[in-house]
Amino acid sequence: MSTTPTDRLRTLLEPLAAEAGLDLEEVKVTQAGSRRQVQIDVDADGGVDLDAIAEFSRLVGQALDESDLMGDAPYLLEVGSPGAERPLSEPRHWRRATGRLAAIKLVDGAELTARVLESDEDGALVEVQPVKGRGRPKERRLEFAEIARARVQVEFNRKDEELLDAAADIADTDEEEEEA
């Protein structure tokens, strides 16, 4: 039997998340003045939209009100998604981060920045970025047991080849239409 309030909440919320097609990523309860703050992060393959979060929030509020987990004290409920710089701690996180850049710290203390190419239940194939832009990226297989922690990185200036090719195709089509 779960003993902490967070464990009991997780036990209540896991089936609700699964039924909604969501993964329950994090449950955190903190004291905020005279109220408790319940923060819940959910995610899904392809991400979650605001409608899914709003519906899940409604279900969670109803379940909490019907249970005695929160007692009589008031609480503030916040439901959201893990965010852009999410930690990569489960195989599904790595799968969802395919194509994204990640800062990775290995168990041996080494640190690297790599693009996630693919992953499975045991590890991920990454493209390690060269140090200070020197050299070429190199593919490397990392087993999850080698990884102490990893986090997705936000990229502001990524030049995605597919997007550049698509933009060039659109420009070519526009020029052809003008000539006709």
Side-chain angles (χ1 to χ4, degrees):
M1 177 76 187
S2 300
T3 57
T4 69
T6 302
D7 289 340
R8 290 191 296 272
L9 271 174
R10 189 171 273 285
T11 300
L12 174 71
L13 300 176
E14 284 280 352
L16 290 175
E19 189 176 309
L22 302 170
D23 293 314
L24 186 63
E25 296 294 347
E26 186 172 357
V27 176
K28 188 167 40 171
V29 179
T30 55
Q31 194 69 32
S34 63
R35 294 184 172 168
R36 285 171 293 170
Q37 186 171 7
V38 180
Q39 295 172 296
I40 300 168
D41 285 340
V42 293
D43 202 3
D45 289 345
V48 290
D49 61 22
L50 289 176
D51 291 337
I53 288 175
E55 178 61 20
F56 185 66
S57 180
R58 187 188 64 73
L59 292 172
V60 169
Q62 183 178 354
L64 290 176
D65 290 345
E66 291 172 0
S67 76
D68 64 347
L69 285 177
M70 300 307 293
D72 294 331
Y75 64 90
L76 176 65
L77 176 62
E78 290 183 12
V79 178
S81 64
E85 291 189 354
R86 72 164 315 135
L88 302 173
S89 58
E90 300 284 335
R92 69 176 179 263
H93 300 159
W94 287 88
R95 184 181 72 246
R96 291 174 183 157
T98 299
R100 306 279 310 269
L101 202 60
I104 304 166
K105 181 161 183 168
L106 302 177
V107 174
D108 68 7
E111 294 183 13
L112 52 107
T113 300
R115 187 162 311 281
V116 180
L117 300 176
E118 61 185 49
S119 66
D120 56 34
E121 293 301 310
D122 300 315
L125 179 65
V126 298
E127 182 180 72
V128 180
Q129 303 301 303
V131 177
K132 296 185 182 177
R134 296 182 186 149
R136 294 180 171 222
K138 294 183 174 102
E139 287 187 7
R140 179 175 174 184
R141 170 78 183 176
L142 295 173
E143 299 300 318
F144 293 139
E146 295 177 72
I147 302 169
R149 67 180 177 268
R151 184 174 293 278
V152 169
Q153 299 296 290
V154 174
E155 293 180 83
F156 292 107
N157 61 351
R158 180 175 177 187
K159 293 177 177 65
D160 208 345
E161 289 181 30
E162 290 178 22
L163 291 175
L164 292 175
D165 290 343
D169 290 343
I170 291 170
D172 291 343
T173 304
D174 289 344
E175 289 173 10
E176 291 171 8
E177 288 175 3
E178 288 175 11
E179 291 173 6

